[in-house]
């Protein structure tokens, strides 16, 4: 018996890296897994790996950035397993450039894959779950999004990626607030792990230790939290952004209203120099932008 028995979970971008580890871990805990990846051979390999270990999975390689693609992915899960109970929005890309050198295509593609990719499947699933709830069916559904430290603090050379990942964190908060009435939770991950997207800038820092010690950046370290978030055990947890790295788990503390000065009248522009200086002095400093 596993904590995800009889649940069907879609994992986007699960042909390799973090997504593959999520798919394997979910299957090991009893979930039926819909393995989504744009690379058919990679998705098929993960499905075969799950089947060899005694689990159940199906490949669905449609485009996550279109509603027709989302419909096809969800349909694959329903056809194979009868229903879908959650999605782990993991797929992503990077097109790193300094902001002054960023092209329109660099911006559009990253925003499309991350933000629209998070929207399409979740939107279609939420519509399905809402109808189930209105029909009197008990819904216990999950949306697990993927933000990033770049989205929370910013990252030099990744303004497009940081904007998308920051948007995903905010999207998660709104989803959680709006969808609780239907039995749907929404949470986000901020994983720090070794993947294809980290090989360039963080390859040396994240490499596997040669001495056999704990592999801090192994993507498998993130998977247990994903499994738990997809399970019935997490039903009371929503609207959280979890940071996960090695053996560490934390919940990110988001934007809050800080110190206030209220003149109870309109400010004159020149007055604000001292006011802003005082507010900055009283505010806790933000974490540094990555690479700054």
């Amino acid at each position: 018996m596993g904590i995800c028995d009889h649940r069907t979970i879609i994992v986007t971008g699960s042909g390799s890296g973090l997504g593959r580890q999520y798919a394997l871990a979910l299957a090991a805990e009893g979930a039926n897994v819909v393995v989504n990846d744009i690379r058919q051979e990679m998705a098929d390999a993960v499905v075969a790996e799950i089947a060899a270990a005694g689990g159940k999975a199906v490949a669905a390689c449609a485009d996550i950035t279109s509603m027709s693609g989302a419909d096809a992915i969800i349909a694959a899960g329903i056809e194979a397993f009868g229903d879908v109970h959650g999605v782990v929005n993991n797929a992503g890309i990077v097109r790193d450039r300094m902001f002054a050198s960023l092209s329109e295509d660099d911006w559009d593609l990253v925003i499309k894959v991350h933000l629209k990719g998070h929207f399409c499947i979740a939107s279609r699933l939420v519509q399905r779950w809402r109808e189930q709830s209105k029909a009197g069916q008990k819904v216990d559904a999950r949306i697990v999004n993927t933000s990033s430290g770049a989205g929370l603090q910013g990252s030099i050379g990744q303004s497009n990626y940081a904007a998308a990942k920051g948007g995903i964190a905010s999207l998660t908060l709104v989803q959680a607030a709006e969808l609780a009435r239907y039995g749907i939770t929404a949470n986000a991950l901020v994983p720090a792990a070794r993947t294809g997207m980290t090989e360039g800038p963080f390859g040396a820092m994240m490499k596997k230790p040669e001495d056999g010690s704990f592999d801090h950046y192994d993507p498998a370290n993130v998977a247990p939290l994903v499994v738990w978030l997809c399970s019935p055990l997490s039903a009371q947890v929503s609207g959280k952004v979890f940071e996960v790295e090695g053996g560490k788990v934390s919940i990110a503390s988001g934007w809050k209203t800080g110190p206030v000065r209220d003149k109870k009248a309109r400010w004159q522009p020149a007055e604000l120099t001292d006011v802003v200086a005082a507010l900055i002095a009283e505010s806790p400093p933000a974490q540094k932008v990555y690479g700054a």
Side-chain angles (χ1 to χ4, degrees):
M1 296 288 289
I3 67 170
C4 286
D5 282 351
H6 312 301
R7 292 174 71 76
T8 298
I9 308 297
I10 296 168
V11 185
T12 70
S14 50
S16 62
L18 283 164
R20 172 178 169 271
Q21 294 297 336
Y22 301 163
L24 296 175
L26 282 160
E29 285 289 342
N32 308 311
V33 183
V34 180
V35 179
N36 165 258
D37 202 282
I38 58 172
R39 303 159 297 181
Q40 183 75 54
E41 69 281 3
M42 301 292 281
D44 289 341
V46 174
V47 169
E49 193 172 358
I50 288 171
K56 296 180 180 179
V58 64
C61 297
D63 181 7
I64 64 169
T65 68
S66 72
M67 287 303 197
S68 60
D71 289 338
I73 295 164
I74 295 166
I78 294 169
E79 180 180 352
F81 306 117
D83 204 353
V84 175
H85 307 94
V87 58
V88 181
N89 285 311
N90 165 75
I93 61 167
V94 289
R95 293 293 185 272
D96 293 351
R97 302 281 189 279
M98 299 299 281
F99 184 77
S101 302
L102 198 66
S103 72
E104 184 178 8
D105 285 345
D106 292 333
W107 179 270
D108 287 348
L109 187 58
V110 169
I111 296 297
K112 180 181 180 181
V113 172
H114 288 278
L115 273 176
K116 192 175 181 186
H118 270 61
F119 168 73
C120 290
I121 293 179
S123 174
R124 289 299 205 224
L125 283 173
V126 163
Q127 291 165 16
R128 176 180 176 82
W129 294 330
R130 180 179 60 183
E131 290 308 308
Q132 290 175 343
S133 177
K134 287 183 175 181
Q137 180 176 336
K138 178 177 171 54
V139 174
D140 188 24
R142 302 287 180 270
I143 298 171
V144 180
N145 294 326
T146 305
S147 186
S148 166
L152 302 185
Q153 281 96 245
S155 180
I156 298 295
Q158 292 189 309
S159 56
N160 49 358
Y161 179 74
K165 290 303 192 182
I168 288 166
S170 296
L171 170 65
T172 303
L173 303 182
V174 177
Q175 288 174 327
E178 291 184 356
L179 303 177
R181 72 189 73 178
Y182 305 121
I184 305 165
T185 70
N187 293 285
L189 302 166
V190 176
R194 185 174 57 250
T195 72
M197 289 171 57
T198 65
E199 286 176 355
F202 304 112
M205 181 185 79
M206 290 187 170
K207 69 179 181 180
K208 185 175 181 178
E210 298 177 358
D211 60 3
S213 60
F214 176 58
D215 186 356
H216 187 84
Y217 291 106
D218 186 340
N221 297 334
V222 182
L225 179 61
V226 174
V227 174
W228 184 83
L229 287 171
C230 289
S231 79
L233 299 176
S234 65
Q236 305 306 313
V237 177
S238 195
K240 305 301 181 187
V241 177
F242 290 90
E243 296 186 84
V244 193
E245 176 187 326
K248 298 187 293 184
V249 178
S250 64
I251 295 177
S253 178
W255 291 101
K256 299 179 179 66
T257 301
V260 176
R261 293 290 187 279
D262 184 358
K263 183 180 178 181
K264 301 190 184 302
R266 183 179 304 142
W267 294 97
Q268 294 299 314
E271 291 181 292
L272 289 168
T273 300
D274 291 340
V275 171
V276 171
L279 291 174
I280 290 172
E282 294 174 19
S283 301
Q287 288 181 236
K288 285 188 176 181
V289 171
Y290 286 101

